[in-house]
Amino acid sequence: MQSTRTLKDRIFLVIKGLSMGAANKVPGVSGGVVAFVAGFYEEFIYSLQRVNKTALKLLVNGRLKSFYRYINGRFLSLLFLGMIVSYFSVSKVLDYFLKNHELYVWSLFFGMIIGSIYYINKDFKDWNFKSIMSLGIGISLGIAISFLNPAVENDNLFFVFFCGIISVSGMTLPGFSGSFILILLGNYILLLVDSVNALYDTFSELITGDFSFVQNEVRLRLLKVLSIFTLGSVVGLVSFSHVLSYVLKHYKSITTASIIGFIVGSLGVVWPWKKTIFKVQDNGNFILDSRGEKIILNYERLLPQNESQTYIAIGYIILGIIVVLALERYGQRTIKNI
């Protein structure tokens, strides 16, 4: 597949990586949905599945070109390039809009998830008892997860490694938000904010020739946490891809029905009209994280009011649906070309 992609396809692949990276960072939104709707989900899973013993032998023997071709390297490298760039750029912009225009951002994502449900369901014809049961289980799990309360932050390295494994679920399982799972595990701020900021600050200092961070115990601890989290993410990504590759091959209908269920269940997390509930002490004061920010406990879902903001939000929901349908059309065209 690598050689058949045009320059335009490669640029769009980086853009898809940007979209996946941004989606993965937002609690309640799954980067896997982007992959599924944009038409490269199965290629993504099967490419990751090629990271196996054969790939390791090629790498150890110094056959780098063969290794690169074997794992569909051009596809994966362009996609991950987009994700990495997104982490330090697009996701920062997203953070700004979530802070200043939260209702409209959630509305856009809500519309995109509705569009995703329509897209996946319209071509799925294999409804039977097993697939309907899988759909029900997927919806139930998605809803149940959205109403769980978060745990306390924990920087134990074994737990951080486990968080890394779990967090990549959003990339491999559409509808299953890795970021929201990290909130439930209590480590969203530690792993996706504090440690990432520590890495960014370290790079900024290194560029200016400042090596003072080696004396900063807090910074070194955060960098160690980020390293273990990254290692866990890589292990989880490869492990999940092997499992999903197998179930997609042998139980495609059940897997697809479960994915539809997960995505339907995730609508509860991204419901636009909600009030954020923060953690408080017994005396009523807010509990703050290491940045001095209030810590999210959960969300209280509200009904939309008859006001101008509501109609604008509905407009963003419609825009979200249109964006997904446009992605789907492009994805179908890409599959035909390849």
Side-chain angles (χ1 to χ4, degrees):
M1 290 189 186
Q2 300 186 65
S3 60
T4 57
R5 282 196 164 89
T6 64
L7 177 61
K8 181 183 174 184
D9 291 330
R10 294 170 193 170
I11 292 170
F12 269 102
L13 197 51
V14 174
I15 293 172
K16 289 171 185 176
L18 289 169
S19 304
M20 278 189 79
N24 279 326
K25 197 175 178 184
V26 179
V29 183
S30 163
V33 171
V34 175
F36 213 103
V37 173
F40 65 92
Y41 179 72
E42 288 193 25
E43 184 181 359
F44 179 54
I45 295 300
Y46 288 133
S47 297
L48 289 173
Q49 189 226 354
R50 302 303 286 276
V51 181
N52 52 28
K53 289 181 180 178
T54 304
L56 188 60
K57 284 179 182 176
L58 290 170
L59 191 60
V60 170
N61 292 330
R63 298 174 59 188
L64 298 181
K65 284 187 178 179
S66 298
F67 167 79
Y68 189 72
R69 282 197 301 270
Y70 180 76
I71 65 168
N72 198 10
R74 182 173 291 166
F75 168 81
L76 287 177
S77 58
L78 289 171
L79 199 61
F80 282 114
L81 172 64
M83 290 184 202
I84 293 166
V85 171
S86 171
Y87 231 70
F88 295 100
S89 58
V90 175
S91 58
K92 297 288 184 186
V93 175
L94 200 55
D95 288 344
Y96 167 81
F97 282 106
L98 273 171
K99 192 172 182 179
N100 295 280
H101 305 284
E102 187 178 19
L103 173 63
Y104 303 144
V105 174
W106 286 122
S107 298
L108 183 67
F109 282 126
F110 190 79
M112 290 178 75
I113 290 176
I114 291 173
S116 303
I117 294 166
Y118 165 77
Y119 161 68
I120 298 170
N121 184 59
K122 76 180 177 67
D123 292 325
F124 185 70
K125 310 296 180 187
D126 195 14
W127 289 112
N128 52 45
F129 177 75
K130 286 183 179 178
S131 58
I132 291 172
M133 282 292 292
S134 301
L135 174 73
I137 291 169
I139 292 173
S140 301
L141 283 173
I143 292 173
I145 287 169
S146 70
F147 284 96
L148 290 174
N149 284 330
V152 179
E153 184 175 290
N154 184 350
D155 67 352
N156 178 278
L157 295 181
F158 288 106
F159 185 69
V160 167
F161 182 78
F162 171 74
C163 287
I165 292 173
I166 296 300
S167 71
V168 295
S169 58
M171 288 174 64
T172 51
L173 281 174
F176 204 74
S177 170
S179 295
F180 189 71
I181 295 299
L182 284 181
I183 285 182
L184 295 179
L185 293 172
N187 273 2
Y188 177 80
I189 296 295
L190 173 67
L191 300 175
L192 291 189
V193 180
D194 290 346
S195 58
V196 173
N197 287 342
L199 180 65
Y200 182 83
D201 292 341
T202 302
F203 276 139
S204 299
E205 289 170 8
L206 284 172
I207 290 170
T208 60
D210 182 0
F211 294 90
S212 60
F213 72 90
V214 296
Q215 307 297 329
N216 187 330
E217 289 185 15
V218 174
R219 177 81 64 81
L220 292 176
R221 178 65 178 172
L222 285 172
L223 291 175
K224 187 188 292 184
V225 163
L226 183 60
S227 301
I228 298 299
F229 175 66
T230 303
L231 180 62
S233 299
V234 172
V235 170
L237 198 58
V238 174
S239 303
F240 272 125
S241 66
H242 279 78
V243 173
L244 281 169
S245 177
Y246 177 84
V247 296
L248 279 170
K249 188 175 181 180
H250 295 90
Y251 307 101
K252 187 165 185 177
S253 295
I254 292 174
T255 306
T256 305
S258 300
I259 287 170
I260 295 172
F262 274 133
I263 296 174
V264 172
S266 72
L267 284 171
V269 182
V270 293
W271 177 251
W273 294 274
K274 58 192 171 189
K275 179 184 177 183
T276 306
I277 302 171
F278 298 100
K279 286 187 178 182
V280 293
Q281 299 171 341
D282 293 336
N283 60 10
N285 292 330
F286 290 110
I287 300 173
L288 305 179
D289 60 31
S290 57
R291 302 175 304 154
E293 300 279 349
K294 291 179 282 189
I295 299 173
I296 295 173
L297 176 63
N298 215 316
Y299 300 99
E300 178 188 349
R301 279 80 182 176
L302 306 169
L303 290 174
Q305 302 297 312
N306 184 18
E307 54 189 18
S308 59
Q309 274 193 330
T310 298
Y311 298 113
I312 296 171
I314 292 170
Y316 275 101
I317 290 174
I318 294 168
L319 176 62
I321 295 170
I322 292 170
V323 166
V324 168
L325 296 181
L327 266 175
E328 181 249 337
R329 284 192 67 182
Y330 174 76
Q332 290 296 329
R333 229 176 45 237
T334 303
I335 290 171
K336 284 178 184 176
N337 291 339
I338 295 176

